[in-house]
Amino acid sequence: MRALGARLLPVPAGDDVAIEAEEVGEYLPEVALPREHLDAIAGKTRRPRGHAGRRAGLVRRLRNPEVAASRARVAEGGVPSQ
C-alpha cells in the first residue's frame, strides 16, 4: 500500500483503523487503491486457493472499510476504531 502512495494504510496486523473526520477525504482513495491492483495483490498472496479465490477474498475484505468510509463521509464524521 505504501508503494502505491498510501499514507493512512496499511495498519499493523491486530490494530484498528481510526480515521479523523478531516482525513476521510484522503482515506477513501486509499481504500480504493487495492481494487485497482487486485490481480497483482492476489498474485503475491500465499493462500491455498487459486488466483480467482484470492481475488474474491480481497474484494470481500475491502467492502467493510469502503462502507465505513462512505458512511463517515455522508455523516461528516470519522471512522472509529472497532
Side-chain angles (χ1 to χ4, degrees), residues 37-80:
H37 303 278
L38 283 173
D39 287 319
I41 295 168
K44 292 179 182 179
T45 303
R46 295 183 184 188
R47 299 281 178 160
R49 300 178 290 205
H51 182 81
R54 291 190 303 267
R55 192 178 194 285
L58 289 166
V59 169
R60 278 192 309 275
R61 288 191 298 278
L62 286 172
R63 190 73 188 128
N64 193 35
E66 289 170 337
V67 168
S70 295
R71 287 181 180 162
R73 176 178 253 172
V74 169
E76 297 180 358
V79 178

Short mmCIF file of all heavy atoms in Angstrom, two decimals, residues 37-80:
data_model
loop_
_atom_site.label_atom_id
_atom_site.label_comp_id
_atom_site.label_asym_id
_atom_site.label_seq_id
_atom_site.Cartn_x
_atom_site.Cartn_y
_atom_site.Cartn_z
N HIS A 37 -5.59 -2.76 -8.14
CA HIS A 37 -4.44 -3.67 -8.26
C HIS A 37 -4.76 -5.08 -7.76
O HIS A 37 -3.87 -5.78 -7.29
CB HIS A 37 -3.25 -3.10 -7.48
CG HIS A 37 -2.86 -1.73 -7.93
ND1 HIS A 37 -2.08 -1.50 -9.02
CD2 HIS A 37 -3.20 -0.50 -7.44
CE1 HIS A 37 -1.92 -0.19 -9.18
NE2 HIS A 37 -2.59 0.43 -8.24
N LEU A 38 -6.02 -5.50 -7.87
CA LEU A 38 -6.44 -6.79 -7.32
C LEU A 38 -5.65 -7.97 -7.88
O LEU A 38 -5.23 -8.85 -7.12
CB LEU A 38 -7.94 -7.02 -7.55
CG LEU A 38 -8.87 -6.26 -6.64
CD1 LEU A 38 -10.31 -6.46 -7.09
CD2 LEU A 38 -8.70 -6.67 -5.20
N ASP A 39 -5.44 -7.99 -9.16
CA ASP A 39 -4.73 -9.14 -9.74
C ASP A 39 -3.29 -9.22 -9.25
O ASP A 39 -2.80 -10.30 -8.93
CB ASP A 39 -4.79 -9.09 -11.27
CG ASP A 39 -6.16 -9.44 -11.80
OD1 ASP A 39 -6.78 -10.37 -11.26
OD2 ASP A 39 -6.63 -8.78 -12.75
N ALA A 40 -2.63 -8.08 -9.18
CA ALA A 40 -1.24 -8.07 -8.71
C ALA A 40 -1.16 -8.49 -7.24
O ALA A 40 -0.29 -9.28 -6.86
CB ALA A 40 -0.63 -6.68 -8.89
N ILE A 41 -2.07 -7.99 -6.42
CA ILE A 41 -2.08 -8.34 -4.99
C ILE A 41 -2.40 -9.82 -4.82
O ILE A 41 -1.74 -10.53 -4.05
CB ILE A 41 -3.07 -7.45 -4.21
CG1 ILE A 41 -2.60 -5.99 -4.24
CG2 ILE A 41 -3.21 -7.95 -2.77
CD1 ILE A 41 -3.64 -5.01 -3.75
N ALA A 42 -3.42 -10.30 -5.53
CA ALA A 42 -3.80 -11.72 -5.43
C ALA A 42 -2.66 -12.61 -5.89
O ALA A 42 -2.45 -13.70 -5.34
CB ALA A 42 -5.06 -11.99 -6.25
N GLY A 43 -1.90 -12.16 -6.87
CA GLY A 43 -0.77 -12.94 -7.36
C GLY A 43 0.36 -13.07 -6.36
O GLY A 43 1.14 -14.01 -6.39
N LYS A 44 0.44 -12.12 -5.42
CA LYS A 44 1.51 -12.14 -4.42
C LYS A 44 1.05 -12.75 -3.09
O LYS A 44 1.84 -12.90 -2.17
CB LYS A 44 2.01 -10.72 -4.18
CG LYS A 44 2.73 -10.16 -5.38
CD LYS A 44 3.20 -8.76 -5.13
CE LYS A 44 3.88 -8.22 -6.37
NZ LYS A 44 4.32 -6.84 -6.19
N THR A 45 -0.24 -13.04 -2.99
CA THR A 45 -0.79 -13.59 -1.76
C THR A 45 -0.57 -15.10 -1.74
O THR A 45 -0.80 -15.77 -2.73
CB THR A 45 -2.31 -13.30 -1.67
OG1 THR A 45 -2.50 -11.90 -1.77
CG2 THR A 45 -2.90 -13.80 -0.37
N ARG A 46 -0.11 -15.59 -0.61
CA ARG A 46 0.14 -17.04 -0.50
C ARG A 46 -0.98 -17.69 0.30
O ARG A 46 -1.00 -17.66 1.51
CB ARG A 46 1.47 -17.28 0.19
CG ARG A 46 2.60 -16.77 -0.65
CD ARG A 46 3.91 -17.07 -0.01
NE ARG A 46 4.95 -16.46 -0.81
CZ ARG A 46 6.22 -16.66 -0.63
NH1 ARG A 46 6.62 -17.43 0.34
NH2 ARG A 46 7.10 -16.07 -1.40
N ARG A 47 -1.89 -18.23 -0.40
CA ARG A 47 -3.01 -18.94 0.20
C ARG A 47 -3.24 -20.22 -0.61
O ARG A 47 -2.86 -20.29 -1.77
CB ARG A 47 -4.30 -18.09 0.14
CG ARG A 47 -4.21 -16.80 0.89
CD ARG A 47 -4.39 -17.04 2.35
NE ARG A 47 -4.25 -15.76 3.05
CZ ARG A 47 -4.69 -15.55 4.23
NH1 ARG A 47 -5.32 -16.49 4.89
NH2 ARG A 47 -4.52 -14.39 4.81
N PRO A 48 -3.89 -21.19 -0.05
CA PRO A 48 -4.11 -22.44 -0.78
C PRO A 48 -5.12 -22.31 -1.93
O PRO A 48 -5.15 -23.16 -2.79
CB PRO A 48 -4.63 -23.40 0.30
CG PRO A 48 -5.14 -22.53 1.37
CD PRO A 48 -4.34 -21.27 1.32
N ARG A 49 -5.91 -21.24 -1.94
CA ARG A 49 -6.89 -21.07 -3.02
C ARG A 49 -6.18 -20.63 -4.29
O ARG A 49 -5.07 -20.12 -4.26
CB ARG A 49 -7.91 -19.99 -2.66
CG ARG A 49 -8.69 -20.31 -1.41
CD ARG A 49 -9.62 -19.18 -1.10
NE ARG A 49 -8.82 -18.03 -0.68
CZ ARG A 49 -9.26 -17.06 0.09
NH1 ARG A 49 -10.50 -17.06 0.48
NH2 ARG A 49 -8.49 -16.06 0.44
N GLY A 50 -6.87 -20.76 -5.40
CA GLY A 50 -6.33 -20.29 -6.67
C GLY A 50 -6.42 -18.77 -6.75
O GLY A 50 -6.94 -18.10 -5.86
N HIS A 51 -5.93 -18.25 -7.85
CA HIS A 51 -5.89 -16.80 -8.06
C HIS A 51 -7.30 -16.18 -7.94
O HIS A 51 -7.47 -15.17 -7.26
CB HIS A 51 -5.29 -16.48 -9.43
CG HIS A 51 -5.18 -15.02 -9.71
ND1 HIS A 51 -4.14 -14.27 -9.22
CD2 HIS A 51 -5.97 -14.18 -10.40
CE1 HIS A 51 -4.30 -13.02 -9.61
NE2 HIS A 51 -5.40 -12.95 -10.34
N ALA A 52 -8.30 -16.80 -8.56
CA ALA A 52 -9.66 -16.26 -8.52
C ALA A 52 -10.20 -16.25 -7.09
O ALA A 52 -10.88 -15.29 -6.68
CB ALA A 52 -10.58 -17.08 -9.42
N GLY A 53 -9.90 -17.26 -6.31
CA GLY A 53 -10.35 -17.32 -4.92
C GLY A 53 -9.70 -16.25 -4.07
O GLY A 53 -10.34 -15.63 -3.22
N ARG A 54 -8.40 -16.03 -4.27
CA ARG A 54 -7.68 -14.99 -3.52
C ARG A 54 -8.23 -13.61 -3.90
O ARG A 54 -8.43 -12.76 -3.04
CB ARG A 54 -6.19 -15.08 -3.80
CG ARG A 54 -5.55 -16.32 -3.20
CD ARG A 54 -4.04 -16.28 -3.26
NE ARG A 54 -3.51 -16.11 -4.59
CZ ARG A 54 -3.16 -17.10 -5.41
NH1 ARG A 54 -3.29 -18.36 -5.00
NH2 ARG A 54 -2.66 -16.85 -6.59
N ARG A 55 -8.49 -13.40 -5.19
CA ARG A 55 -9.04 -12.12 -5.65
C ARG A 55 -10.42 -11.87 -5.03
O ARG A 55 -10.70 -10.79 -4.55
CB ARG A 55 -9.13 -12.15 -7.18
CG ARG A 55 -9.41 -10.82 -7.80
CD ARG A 55 -9.44 -10.97 -9.34
NE ARG A 55 -9.37 -9.71 -10.01
CZ ARG A 55 -10.38 -8.85 -10.11
NH1 ARG A 55 -11.53 -9.12 -9.54
NH2 ARG A 55 -10.24 -7.71 -10.75
N ALA A 56 -11.27 -12.89 -5.02
CA ALA A 56 -12.61 -12.77 -4.43
C ALA A 56 -12.52 -12.47 -2.94
O ALA A 56 -13.30 -11.67 -2.40
CB ALA A 56 -13.42 -14.04 -4.68
N GLY A 57 -11.58 -13.08 -2.25
CA GLY A 57 -11.39 -12.81 -0.82
C GLY A 57 -10.99 -11.37 -0.57
O GLY A 57 -11.45 -10.74 0.38
N LEU A 58 -10.12 -10.84 -1.42
CA LEU A 58 -9.73 -9.44 -1.29
C LEU A 58 -10.92 -8.52 -1.48
O LEU A 58 -11.10 -7.56 -0.73
CB LEU A 58 -8.65 -9.10 -2.32
CG LEU A 58 -7.27 -9.70 -2.09
CD1 LEU A 58 -6.42 -9.57 -3.34
CD2 LEU A 58 -6.60 -9.03 -0.90
N VAL A 59 -11.74 -8.81 -2.47
CA VAL A 59 -12.93 -7.98 -2.72
C VAL A 59 -13.84 -7.98 -1.50
O VAL A 59 -14.33 -6.93 -1.08
CB VAL A 59 -13.68 -8.48 -3.98
CG1 VAL A 59 -15.05 -7.84 -4.11
CG2 VAL A 59 -12.85 -8.23 -5.23
N ARG A 60 -14.05 -9.15 -0.90
CA ARG A 60 -14.90 -9.24 0.31
C ARG A 60 -14.32 -8.43 1.46
O ARG A 60 -15.04 -7.72 2.16
CB ARG A 60 -15.06 -10.70 0.74
CG ARG A 60 -16.10 -11.47 -0.01
CD ARG A 60 -16.41 -12.81 0.65
NE ARG A 60 -15.22 -13.61 0.94
CZ ARG A 60 -14.63 -14.42 0.07
NH1 ARG A 60 -15.11 -14.56 -1.15
NH2 ARG A 60 -13.57 -15.12 0.41
N ARG A 61 -13.01 -8.52 1.67
CA ARG A 61 -12.39 -7.82 2.79
C ARG A 61 -12.33 -6.31 2.58
O ARG A 61 -12.28 -5.55 3.54
CB ARG A 61 -11.00 -8.40 3.07
CG ARG A 61 -11.06 -9.77 3.69
CD ARG A 61 -9.72 -10.23 4.19
NE ARG A 61 -8.71 -10.37 3.18
CZ ARG A 61 -8.55 -11.41 2.36
NH1 ARG A 61 -9.39 -12.43 2.44
NH2 ARG A 61 -7.58 -11.44 1.48
N LEU A 62 -12.35 -5.86 1.36
CA LEU A 62 -12.33 -4.42 1.09
C LEU A 62 -13.68 -3.76 1.34
O LEU A 62 -13.76 -2.57 1.58
CB LEU A 62 -11.92 -4.16 -0.36
CG LEU A 62 -10.47 -4.37 -0.69
CD1 LEU A 62 -10.25 -4.27 -2.19
CD2 LEU A 62 -9.63 -3.32 0.03
N ARG A 63 -14.74 -4.54 1.30
CA ARG A 63 -16.09 -3.98 1.41
C ARG A 63 -16.31 -3.23 2.73
O ARG A 63 -16.87 -2.14 2.73
CB ARG A 63 -17.12 -5.09 1.24
CG ARG A 63 -18.50 -4.61 1.10
CD ARG A 63 -18.70 -3.98 -0.29
NE ARG A 63 -20.00 -3.35 -0.30
CZ ARG A 63 -20.22 -2.10 -0.66
NH1 ARG A 63 -19.24 -1.36 -1.09
NH2 ARG A 63 -21.41 -1.61 -0.62
N ASN A 64 -15.89 -3.79 3.85
CA ASN A 64 -16.14 -3.16 5.15
C ASN A 64 -15.50 -1.77 5.26
O ASN A 64 -16.18 -0.82 5.64
CB ASN A 64 -15.69 -4.08 6.28
CG ASN A 64 -16.19 -3.62 7.62
OD1 ASN A 64 -17.29 -3.09 7.72
ND2 ASN A 64 -15.40 -3.82 8.66
N PRO A 65 -14.20 -1.60 4.96
CA PRO A 65 -13.64 -0.26 5.06
C PRO A 65 -14.24 0.71 4.04
O PRO A 65 -14.37 1.91 4.32
CB PRO A 65 -12.14 -0.45 4.83
CG PRO A 65 -11.97 -1.81 4.30
CD PRO A 65 -13.17 -2.60 4.68
N GLU A 66 -14.65 0.22 2.88
CA GLU A 66 -15.30 1.10 1.90
C GLU A 66 -16.63 1.62 2.43
O GLU A 66 -16.92 2.82 2.32
CB GLU A 66 -15.52 0.35 0.58
CG GLU A 66 -14.25 0.08 -0.18
CD GLU A 66 -14.46 -0.85 -1.36
OE1 GLU A 66 -15.43 -1.63 -1.38
OE2 GLU A 66 -13.62 -0.80 -2.26
N VAL A 67 -17.42 0.74 3.00
CA VAL A 67 -18.72 1.14 3.55
C VAL A 67 -18.52 2.09 4.72
O VAL A 67 -19.20 3.12 4.82
CB VAL A 67 -19.55 -0.11 3.96
CG1 VAL A 67 -20.76 0.29 4.78
CG2 VAL A 67 -19.97 -0.88 2.72
N ALA A 68 -17.59 1.78 5.61
CA ALA A 68 -17.34 2.65 6.78
C ALA A 68 -16.91 4.04 6.33
O ALA A 68 -17.39 5.05 6.86
CB ALA A 68 -16.28 2.03 7.68
N ALA A 69 -16.04 4.13 5.36
CA ALA A 69 -15.57 5.43 4.88
C ALA A 69 -16.67 6.20 4.17
O ALA A 69 -16.81 7.41 4.35
CB ALA A 69 -14.37 5.24 3.95
N SER A 70 -17.49 5.51 3.40
CA SER A 70 -18.60 6.17 2.72
C SER A 70 -19.61 6.71 3.72
O SER A 70 -20.11 7.83 3.57
CB SER A 70 -19.28 5.20 1.75
OG SER A 70 -18.40 4.85 0.72
N ARG A 71 -19.92 5.93 4.74
CA ARG A 71 -20.86 6.40 5.78
C ARG A 71 -20.28 7.59 6.54
O ARG A 71 -20.99 8.52 6.88
CB ARG A 71 -21.18 5.27 6.74
CG ARG A 71 -22.08 4.23 6.16
CD ARG A 71 -22.40 3.15 7.15
NE ARG A 71 -23.28 2.17 6.55
CZ ARG A 71 -23.47 0.95 7.03
NH1 ARG A 71 -22.86 0.57 8.14
NH2 ARG A 71 -24.28 0.13 6.41
N ALA A 72 -18.99 7.54 6.81
CA ALA A 72 -18.34 8.65 7.52
C ALA A 72 -18.41 9.92 6.69
O ALA A 72 -18.66 11.01 7.22
CB ALA A 72 -16.88 8.29 7.83
N ARG A 73 -18.22 9.80 5.39
CA ARG A 73 -18.28 10.98 4.53
C ARG A 73 -19.68 11.59 4.55
O ARG A 73 -19.84 12.80 4.67
CB ARG A 73 -17.89 10.63 3.10
CG ARG A 73 -18.04 11.81 2.17
CD ARG A 73 -17.61 11.49 0.78
NE ARG A 73 -16.34 12.17 0.58
CZ ARG A 73 -15.57 12.01 -0.45
NH1 ARG A 73 -15.89 11.16 -1.38
NH2 ARG A 73 -14.47 12.71 -0.57
N VAL A 74 -20.71 10.74 4.45
CA VAL A 74 -22.10 11.22 4.47
C VAL A 74 -22.41 11.90 5.80
O VAL A 74 -23.06 12.95 5.84
CB VAL A 74 -23.09 10.07 4.17
CG1 VAL A 74 -24.51 10.48 4.46
CG2 VAL A 74 -22.93 9.59 2.74
N ALA A 75 -21.94 11.32 6.89
CA ALA A 75 -22.21 11.85 8.23
C ALA A 75 -21.27 12.98 8.61
O ALA A 75 -21.41 13.58 9.67
CB ALA A 75 -22.11 10.74 9.27
N GLU A 76 -20.30 13.25 7.73
CA GLU A 76 -19.28 14.26 8.01
C GLU A 76 -18.55 13.96 9.32
O GLU A 76 -18.25 14.84 10.12
CB GLU A 76 -19.87 15.67 8.00
CG GLU A 76 -20.43 16.06 6.66
CD GLU A 76 -21.02 17.46 6.62
OE1 GLU A 76 -21.03 18.15 7.66
OE2 GLU A 76 -21.45 17.85 5.54
N GLY A 77 -18.30 12.67 9.52
CA GLY A 77 -17.60 12.22 10.71
C GLY A 77 -16.38 11.41 10.33
O GLY A 77 -15.96 11.40 9.17
N GLY A 78 -15.83 10.72 11.29
CA GLY A 78 -14.64 9.91 11.06
C GLY A 78 -14.98 8.44 11.05
O GLY A 78 -16.15 8.05 11.08
N VAL A 79 -13.95 7.62 10.97
CA VAL A 79 -14.08 6.16 11.03
C VAL A 79 -13.47 5.75 12.35
O VAL A 79 -12.26 5.80 12.53
CB VAL A 79 -13.36 5.48 9.85
CG1 VAL A 79 -13.45 3.97 9.96
CG2 VAL A 79 -13.89 5.96 8.51
N PRO A 80 -14.33 5.36 13.32
CA PRO A 80 -13.79 4.99 14.64
C PRO A 80 -13.09 3.65 14.60
O PRO A 80 -13.35 2.82 13.75
CB PRO A 80 -15.05 4.92 15.51
CG PRO A 80 -16.15 4.58 14.56
CD PRO A 80 -15.77 5.23 13.24
#
